[in-house]
């Protein structure tokens, strides 16, 4: 929205609002729901009607029942409105492609109202689509780029139209978002620029007024950094004032000006200031967690009052200080507070539960408790402080400690849990010791061993080239089959695997949606077999290779068909 | 590794060693051999502490009769704890190598606030409150009362310690503050009194300066420390100020008013006791007639550290008759108090010497010098006799009595300045009597006199020769060590001009100049764009910083800086600053980067390290001269000139440069660390300033970096940072700035090492 500020030249205080969607994204609905109809809207000097629908905005000329203009919300970058007091009441949509469409609201009596209603609605709709569309596309793109196998699969399945793109992504995306939320990669919040207030540079509009430009980003930054303002906003808008009025007051208030000293009583933000003050104070009294930076406990033994050369600071005597000095120290306080808030806003989401815990422990615990909590932090910090990693030999190289939730599982691997045959590690140890014990007492019964001729023939049979070693070796396939066939086979395997995954994921079939899907998947499988697998088989037959190569693939498919068959017969039985 | 330092087997708990550490240990060994004092400067981050500890512990083990104790004094609580942890590392190494159990007792001692485990007392926030409350639970007569009246509360930890703690010595080991507390909790003993008792037989004691230098505290705690101790003052660059502070007294009208109430309380108590327990007062009188013989005997037999407030002569005499009875003494104090009140009723500044003051007091109210000298001792005796519970309440009268004793004892080295108002607020009457010490050697003299070796060491002690002069002692070794570096990890730059060629300086005449302030702002802005993570900027004074921040705010410079980094600012409130500091570190830690605006001579500049990414650049805005218009400073400068032939300017520059060096030195805490040091004042380029920087900084100050513009600074910094960001491995250092045992033993390396130490 950066270009917007430059584009609109007349004195509007708020050119553009786009509130971030805090709620759930709008579900795509199939039937087009018309949200708003505005009549007598001109476009290119032609009268017509403007429709705002669930997913797009459209305009049709009067008397015709088709739309000459139609934009998906996702394609719209932003909207602009003409300034108040201008003769023509207009609304302009700017698309991502750079094109723009201007609507002129021509109904004399209600033009302004119409326009505002449109604006309001768009304001709510646009951000949702913008974020969703961009994010999804980006995500898909990224996944395809990062994962060549997936890309190949996409080509095999979607581009060759075995399954549709939606089907392909349907369980890919959800799968991925789970993975990502685990690695905490996907939902990394963007921090707040420390200078966001500076970005709202006021501009004089030439006639004794100041113009502030607000964007949704800035508003979000303000809300995130100063929750008290958000609270005020929620309290006052729109019951007692419009949002325009709210922000006007915000900029006029001393709260915004950081060198404020006394905020008037009538100022709605004076309460915010007070709360900030309180927050700052509580932060200060809470103290610091890291004892190495705690200046209060730095000095071991301070001089008693009255000793020393430094004159005692004039203790909290505000009348002593000039107004200017007061405002200076207020600025300094503000800056510290602002930076702390910005920092906290960036950390708030991830740290929230953590912080809560530490807060409660430090507030309700008495000093003894804090005593007990302190040493670990302190010990670590002290150790850090005295460490010379270059003096220490190689042992200093730090490795990441393996964090095991269940070390038992790590050392034994997953053990099938059979109710009767479950053996604990103690059992294993016991049995090992029993075996050891038995081994110690083991005496070979030499009368019953094999005859030497039988033994030597067995050995020859088992040696390379021997009788039992004839059908030997995986490597023959590697050598026999040309590489291009191999790679094709690999692709086939992944594709079949993907399709089968889709297929098997439908079981147990317990919703109509899944029923539908399983049928579709079955046909997908068949289609795949027909269009991909068969040609491949023919090809290798032409090359006189053993057709056995695809045997396993077919087995897998057959298994799926069998399952499907079984499921279908069962369903028929139930139906009849 | 095991080292051979001049014939002494030293266990060093690391696999590698810095060449300068070896050199440092050599010098230290020579000092101990000669049983003399030493001044050693070695850059921070080169493992000074561990070198000191390794050598002295080895020396103690080799010659247990020559050196019986190490008294290690440091400045702040975290530093004390760090020393103990390093010691623990060393002792663990000893135990591993020699496979014997450690028989050393080493402990840290701190104030009650850091050691108390009494649930009620330890929950108090301020040290003074803790001390007062503790005293009200552990004073001898309180405990006596407890015997007859069990409802009188006492501290069960102290009782338990008193009952058994002294008989059973604390087992050998390394006790940090938390270890002492744990031990105390386990045994149910008071850790503070346990530590105070244990320092007498401990092999190593780590505590803060004040326990040796502040006569009031030293008299209680360190009096009986063995003569054959080695005393180390670490981070000693400010030691003269500590000495002076501990001997100076300020008296305001409020002090006198509170003193008045003290006197009244005393009077009431005395008359009450007279009715009930007159024998007690008679007993005290008898004691006073006998004089302070006890203390005298102890000092002559060399058991006690002498107390500069308790001069030798008075120990031989009995308390003069005029103040021997309690009532007479209170009357005497009252007279003295009235005289002081009269002196504070002035309209112009008065400055006089101690003899002048004594003459005046004799003429006006007929108070003699002799009884004045006994004031402190007499008051102490009286407070003890009267069984005053809360000593803290009596701090004003104690202060006055100390003043009386000091002013009548020392005719030289002190000055009296009475100011009717503060310079900044000439309309508000706020009379203060400054009795200020100008000679740091007075407070430290007993330490040099008593202990066989005193080592003064720090990262910044340049120029070395000034310390022996102002502290009045004769060192046997004085050496400054450089930092051997495989890569130049520090980059000192002197920025003299802005891009508009306007000179950058915090000189008084131009400091309010718009162009200077703007250039300072631009420098910070430019640096904030190129330096990763943390930047620390120091200003010369708090007021100056406030003004600059305000005008930067008005000019929108701060907003632009905020685009690059978060800004945190030191305030005059320590709690607020602590919070800002923690947030600053947090911001550096999570990658946002931050700037800390701070003040030279402030708490941050003296006590907080900015290792690695916490400080990639330090900017020193201006030369941190002390406020030169202060009369106390002027008097001190005059004294220095007359007594030690140190020119005013030399001293002021020395003082400013040691603080500047302290500030910029905060960023480099080791050889793997790196940082820019930007001196933003053209005056740094002058030889007299530059020459007073520590050698390890001076060495890297090339002629090309003396008078840079902002743009040039940015270019040089970029280059430096890019170089430093390359991987730096141990192999790069080996053989140059890091040695294995074999490398250390080679002939030419030993020759090289000999050059590291520069004898002053």
């Amino acid at each position: 929205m950066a270009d917007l500020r430059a584009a609109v030249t007349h004195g509007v205080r708020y050119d553009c609002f786009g509130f971030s969607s805090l709620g759930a994204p709008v579900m795509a609905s199939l039937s087009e729901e018309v949200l708003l109809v505005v009549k007598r809207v001109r476009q290119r000097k032609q009268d017509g009607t403007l429709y705002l629908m669930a997913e797009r905005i459209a305009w049709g000329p009067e008397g015709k029942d088709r739309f000459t203009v139609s934009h998906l919300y996702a394609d719209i970058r932003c909207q602009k409105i003409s300034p108040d007091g201008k003769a023509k009441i207009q609304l302009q949509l700017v698309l991502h492609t750079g094109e723009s469409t201007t609507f002129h609201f021509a109904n004399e009596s209600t033009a302004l109202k119409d326009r505002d209603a449109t604006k309001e609605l768009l304001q709510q709709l646009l951000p949702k689509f913008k974020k969703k569309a961009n994010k999804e596309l980006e995500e898909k793109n990224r996944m395809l780029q990062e994962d060549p196998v997936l890309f190949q699969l996409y080509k095999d399945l979607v581009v060759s139209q075995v399954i549709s793109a939606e089907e392909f992504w349907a369980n890919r995306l959800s799968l991925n978002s789970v993975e990502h939320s685990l690695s905490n990669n996907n939902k990394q919040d963007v921090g707040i620029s420390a200078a966001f207030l500076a970005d709202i540079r006021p501009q004089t509009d030439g006639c004794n007024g100041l113009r502030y430009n607000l964007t949704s980003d800035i508003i979000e930054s303000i809300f995130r950094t100063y929750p008290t303002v958000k609270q005020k906003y929620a309290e006052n808008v729109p019951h007692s004032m419009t949002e325009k009025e709210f922000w006007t007051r915000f900029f006029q208030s001393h709260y915004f000006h950081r060198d404020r000293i006394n905020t008037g009583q009538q100022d709605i933000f004076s309460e915010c200031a007070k709360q900030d003050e309180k927050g700052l104070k509580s932060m200060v009294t809470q103290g610091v967690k890291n004892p190495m930076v705690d200046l209060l406990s730095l000095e071991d033994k301070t001089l008693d009052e009255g000793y020393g050369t430094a004159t005692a600071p004039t203790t909290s005597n505000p009348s002593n200080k000039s107004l200017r000095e007061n405002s200076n120290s207020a600025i300094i306080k503000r800056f510290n507070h602002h930076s702390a808030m910005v920092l906290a806003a960036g950390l708030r989401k991830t740290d929230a539960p953590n912080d809560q815990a530490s807060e409660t422990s430090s507030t309700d615990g008495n000093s003894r408790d804090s005593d007990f909590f302190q040493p670990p932090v302190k010990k670590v910090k002290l150790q850090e402080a005295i460490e010379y990693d270059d003096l220490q030999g190689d042992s200093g190289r730090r490795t990441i400690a393996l964090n095991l939730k269940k070390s038992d599982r790590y050392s034994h691997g997953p053990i099938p849990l059979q109710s009767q045959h479950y053996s604990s590690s103690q059992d294993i140890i016991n049995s090992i010791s029993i075996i050891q014990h038995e081994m110690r007492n083991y005496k070979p019964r030499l009368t019953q061993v094999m005859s030497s001729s039988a033994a030597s023939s067995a050995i020859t049979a088992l040696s390379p080239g021997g009788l039992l070693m004839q059908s030997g070796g995986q490597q023959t396939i590697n050598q026999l089959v040309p590489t291009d066939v191999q790679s094709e086979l690999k692709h086939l395997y992944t594709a079949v695997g993907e399709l089968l995954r889709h297929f098997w994921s439908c079981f147990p079939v317990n919703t109509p949606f899944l029923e539908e899907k399983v049928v579709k998947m079955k046909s997908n499988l068949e289609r795949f077999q027909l269009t991909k697998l068969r040609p491949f088989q023919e090809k290798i037959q032409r090359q006189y290779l053993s057709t056995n190569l695809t045997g396993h693939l077919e087995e897998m498919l057959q298994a799926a068909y069998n399952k499907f068959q079984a499921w279908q017969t069962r369903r028929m039985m139930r139906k009849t | 590794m095991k080292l051979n330092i001049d014939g002494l087997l030293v266990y060093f708990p690391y696999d590698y060693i810095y060449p300068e550490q070896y050199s440092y240990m050599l010098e230290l060994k020579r000092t101990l051999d000669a049983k003399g004092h030493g001044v050693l400067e070695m850059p921070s981050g080169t493992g000074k502490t561990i070198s000191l500890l390794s050598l002295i512990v080895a020396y103690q083990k080799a010659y247990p009769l020559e050196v019986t104790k190490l008294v290690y004094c440091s400045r702040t609580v975290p530093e004390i704890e760090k020393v103990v942890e390093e010691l623990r590392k060393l002792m663990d190494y000893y135990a591993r190598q020699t496979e014997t159990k450690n028989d050393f007792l080493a402990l840290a001692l701190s104030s009650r606030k850091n050691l108390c485990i009494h649930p009620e007392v330890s929950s108090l926030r301020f040290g003074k409150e803790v001390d007062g409350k503790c005293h009200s639970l552990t004073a001898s007569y309180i405990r006596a009362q407890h015997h007859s009246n069990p409802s009188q509360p006492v501290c069960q930890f102290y009782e338990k310690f008193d009952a058994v703690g002294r008989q059973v010595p604390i087992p050998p080991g390394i006790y940090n503050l938390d270890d002492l507390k744990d031990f105390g909790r386990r045994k149910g003993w008071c850790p503070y009194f346990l530590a105070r008792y244990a320092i007498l037989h401990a092999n190593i004691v780590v505590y803060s300066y004040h326990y040796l230098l502040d006569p009031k505290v030293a008299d209680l705690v360190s009096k009986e420390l063995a003569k054959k101790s080695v005393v180390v003052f670490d981070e000693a660059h400010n030691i003269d100020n500590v000495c002076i502070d501990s001997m100076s007294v300020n008296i305001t009208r409020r002090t006198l008013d509170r003193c008045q109430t003290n006197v009244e309380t005393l009077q009431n108590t005395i008359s009450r006791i007279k009715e009930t327990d007159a024998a007690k007062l008679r007993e005290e009188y008898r004691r006073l007639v006998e004089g302070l013989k006890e203390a005298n005997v102890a000092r002559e037999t060399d058991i006690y550290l002498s107390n500069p407030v308790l001069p030798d002569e008075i120990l031989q005499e009995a308390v003069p008759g005029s103040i021997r009875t309690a009532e007479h003494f209170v009357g005497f104090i009252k007279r003295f108090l009235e005289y002081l009140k009269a002196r504070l009723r002035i309209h112009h500044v008065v400055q006089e010497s101690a003899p002048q003051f004594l003459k005046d007091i004799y003429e006006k109210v007929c108070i003699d010098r002799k009884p004045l000298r006994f004031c402190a001792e007499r008051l102490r005796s009286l407070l003890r006799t009267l069984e005053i519970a809360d000593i803290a309440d009596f701090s004003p009268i104690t202060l006055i009595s100390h003043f009386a004793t000091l002013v009548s004892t020392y005719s030289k080295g002190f000055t009296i300045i009475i100011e009717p108002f503060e310079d900044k607020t000439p309309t508000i009457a706020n009379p203060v009597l400054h009795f200020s010490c100008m000679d740091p050697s007075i407070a430290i003299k007993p330490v040099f006199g008593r202990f066989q070796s005193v080592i003064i060491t720090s990262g910044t002690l340049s120029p070395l020769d000034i310390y022996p002069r102002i502290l009045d002692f004769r060192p046997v070794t004085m050496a400054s060590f450089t930092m051997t570096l495989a890569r130049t990890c520090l980059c000192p730059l002197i920025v003299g001009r802005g891009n508009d060629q306007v000179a950058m300086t915090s000189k008084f005449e131009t400091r309010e100049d718009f162009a200077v302030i703007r250039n300072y702002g631009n420098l910070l802005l430019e640096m904030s764009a190129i330096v990763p993570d943390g930047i620390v900027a120091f200003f010369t004074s708090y007021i100056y910083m406030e003004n600059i921040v305000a005008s930067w705010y008005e000019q929108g410079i701060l907003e632009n800086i905020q685009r690059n980094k978060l800004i945190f600012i030191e305030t005059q409130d320590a709690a607020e600053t602590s919070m800002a500091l923690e947030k600053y570190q947090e911001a550096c830690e999570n990658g946002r980067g931050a700037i800390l605006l701070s003040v030279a001579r402030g708490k941050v500049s003296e006590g907080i390290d900015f290792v690695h990414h916490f400080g990639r650049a330090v900017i020193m805005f201006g030369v941190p001269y002390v406020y030169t218009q202060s009369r106390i400073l002027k008097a001190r400068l005059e004294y220095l000139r007359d007594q030690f032939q140190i020119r005013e300017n030399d001293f002021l520059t020395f003082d400013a440069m040691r603080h500047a060096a302290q500030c910029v030195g905060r960023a480099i805490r080791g050889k793997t660390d790196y940082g820019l040091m930007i001196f933003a004042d053209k005056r740094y380029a002058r030889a007299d300033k530059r020459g007073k920087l520590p050698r390890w900084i001076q060495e890297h100050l090339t002629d090309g970096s003396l008078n840079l513009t902002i743009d040039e600074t940015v270019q040089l910094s970029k280059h430096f940072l890019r170089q430093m960001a390359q991987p730096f491995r141990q192999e790069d250092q080996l053989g140059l700035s890091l040695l294995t045992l074999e490398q250390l033993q080679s002939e030419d390396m030993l020759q090289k090492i000999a050059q590291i130490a520069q004898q002053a």
Side-chain angles (χ1 to χ4, degrees), chain B residues 5 99 102 297 321 325 472 546 550 608 700 722:
Chain B
I5 307 280
E99 290 180 355
N102 170 34
V297 169
T325 67
D472 191 26
E546 262 190 355
I608 306 292
H700 300 286
R722 207 170 299 141

Side-chain angles (χ1 to χ4, degrees), chain A residues 191-201 256-260 279-280 282-315 317 319-321 324-333 335-344 346-347 351 366-368 371-372 374-375 378-379 381-395 397, chain B residues 13-18 21 45-48 76-78 80-82 85-86 89 109-111 113-114 117 119 122-123 125 128 131 176 178 181 185 208 210-211 214 216-217 244-246 248-250 254 258 398-399 402 422 425 428 434 436 542 546-547 549-550 553-554 558-560 562-563 565-572 574-583 585-587 590 592 603-604 607-608 632 671-672 730 733 738:
Chain A
I192 293 171
S193 159
F196 69 82
L197 284 178
D199 287 334
I200 334 168
R201 255 294 140 62
F256 175 64
H257 299 283
R258 276 173 283 187
D259 49 350
R260 68 197 146 112
L280 193 66
S282 80
M283 257 194 271
V284 167
T285 49
Q286 219 173 56
V288 291
K289 290 187 204 105
N290 179 358
M292 306 300 277
V293 298
D294 191 357
L295 294 172
L296 285 173
S297 62
L298 211 59
E299 288 286 303
D300 185 26
K301 179 86 191 167
T302 46
L303 289 167
D304 285 338
E305 200 181 334
Y307 295 96
T309 44
T311 44
T314 43
T315 39
N317 199 353
S319 63
N320 244 342
K321 279 188 172 175
R324 186 169 163 72
E325 273 173 356
N326 259 338
S327 88
N328 284 356
S329 62
I331 290 175
I332 286 176
K333 259 197 184 147
F335 266 103
N336 279 339
H337 183 240
H338 176 76
S339 298
M341 291 305 269
V342 167
L343 194 63
L347 299 172
D351 259 17
N366 51 22
S367 73
R368 230 155 200 253
D371 237 29
F372 279 124
Q374 217 181 13
K378 195 168 158 184
K379 276 245 163 71
K381 294 280 171 195
L382 272 179
Q383 284 305 327
E384 263 172 32
I386 65 163
E387 206 159 86
Y388 289 94
D389 35 359
D390 47 348
L391 283 181
Q392 199 80 66
D394 290 330
S395 58
R397 204 151 293 162
Chain B
Y14 290 99
D15 303 332
Y16 301 92
I17 187 169
Y18 298 142
Q21 287 182 314
T46 49
K48 199 169 29 194
T76 62
V77 178
I80 289 169
E81 293 190 293
K82 270 194 264 182
E85 288 308 315
E86 297 215 33
K89 193 169 205 169
L109 175 64
S110 179
S111 55
K113 188 179 145 239
N114 295 321
I117 53 169
S122 62
S123 62
R125 251 185 103 87
K128 213 184 284 174
D131 288 351
N176 214 333
D178 287 328
K181 275 163 126 177
R185 278 203 193 97
S208 105
H210 297 280
Y211 290 100
D214 188 342
K216 302 175 286 295
V217 191
I244 282 178
D245 275 350
S246 69
S248 300
V249 174
N250 301 306
R254 189 162 157 269
R258 285 172 57 207
T398 320
L399 181 76
H402 277 148
E422 278 177 56
T425 51
I428 304 162
H434 299 285
S436 112
Y542 194 79
E546 262 190 355
N547 286 337
V549 166
Y553 173 63
E554 278 155 23
L558 283 183
E559 286 174 350
N560 287 324
Q562 274 186 319
R563 281 179 217 277
K565 287 183 192 304
L566 291 175
I567 298 177
F568 294 97
I569 307 171
E570 180 177 357
T571 66
Q572 274 165 325
E576 240 177 272
T577 310
S578 304
M579 190 208 72
L581 251 176
E582 195 178 47
K583 298 278 174 206
Q585 293 201 340
E586 210 173 290
N590 77 6
R592 270 204 91 111
K603 281 205 164 118
V604 173
I608 306 292
I632 301 174
K671 295 189 176 182
T672 51
Q730 196 173 41
Q733 281 205 64
L738 189 69

